Amino acid sequence: MERIMGLDIGDKTIGVAVSDPMLITAQGLKTIKRENTKKDIEEIVNLVKEYNVTKIVIGLPKNMNNTIGPQGEKVLSFANKLKDKVNVEIHFQDERLTTVAAEKTLIEGNMSRKRRKKVIDMVAATYILQTYLDRR
């Protein structure tokens, strides 16, 4: 059964979410603590195999005027390296407000700041993937 994976790629962590087998809902999977690009990609490749992922949706940070800034360039560079290692489609999802939305949800859930820091990227990845699933 195939699934779609969502990624929120940051400098220190990568949030990972996967869809349910029916491709309706996104579920937070984990937060990868970044070590180096090679190891980070290996971990994603293993998750792709484990969850039978056929498509990856990566949050692309854009500036409010729709241009791609330094952070967006880093994400595109990472995505190109990932593309060489996985045989799945890669799509980009505008993620301008996902971290803000994720943070708001966690605050409303009375989650402590320390705990929020640990899950924020995973929740953001879930938002990115859910937005993509809802648009399909």
Side-chain angles (χ1 to χ4, degrees):
M1 198 136 328
E2 65 178 58
R3 292 173 187 245
I4 300 173
M5 177 181 281
L7 297 176
D8 180 45
I9 300 168
D11 290 331
K12 294 187 175 124
T13 61
I14 298 172
V16 184
V18 291
S19 70
D20 67 301
M22 293 172 72
L23 310 180
I24 296 168
T25 61
Q27 288 121 13
L29 188 61
K30 70 183 300 185
T31 300
I32 297 170
K33 196 156 178 34
R34 296 198 64 178
E35 288 182 58
N36 59 57
T37 303
K38 188 174 185 291
K39 272 194 173 154
D40 302 340
I41 287 176
E42 268 174 29
E43 188 156 355
I44 292 167
V45 168
N46 290 335
L47 292 170
V48 164
K49 288 177 188 153
E50 185 181 338
Y51 287 90
N52 199 18
V53 171
T54 54
K55 197 177 284 178
I56 297 175
V57 180
I58 298 176
L60 183 61
K62 291 182 174 181
N63 298 323
M64 281 305 172
N65 65 2
N66 217 21
T67 59
I68 294 182
Q71 200 57 41
E73 294 293 342
K74 287 182 195 173
V75 169
L76 289 171
S77 166
F78 185 89
N80 280 329
K81 291 175 182 136
L82 179 60
K83 211 176 269 178
D84 294 339
K85 300 286 180 209
V86 292
N87 190 19
V88 299
E89 279 179 56
I90 294 183
H91 295 267
F92 294 97
Q93 174 71 43
D94 184 345
E95 67 148 47
R96 272 179 279 201
L97 302 170
T98 52
T99 304
V100 176
E103 180 93 44
K104 189 170 178 250
T105 302
L106 296 174
I107 289 169
E108 285 168 2
N110 289 326
M111 188 175 281
S112 71
R113 181 179 304 242
K114 188 177 174 199
R115 179 91 178 95
R116 278 199 312 262
K117 257 184 88 151
K118 287 184 180 156
V119 299
I120 188 80
D121 298 313
M122 182 183 72
V123 174
T126 307
Y127 267 89
I128 290 163
L129 180 55
Q130 191 62 58
T131 304
Y132 178 84
L133 293 171
D134 291 347
R135 279 202 357 237
R136 282 172 20 110

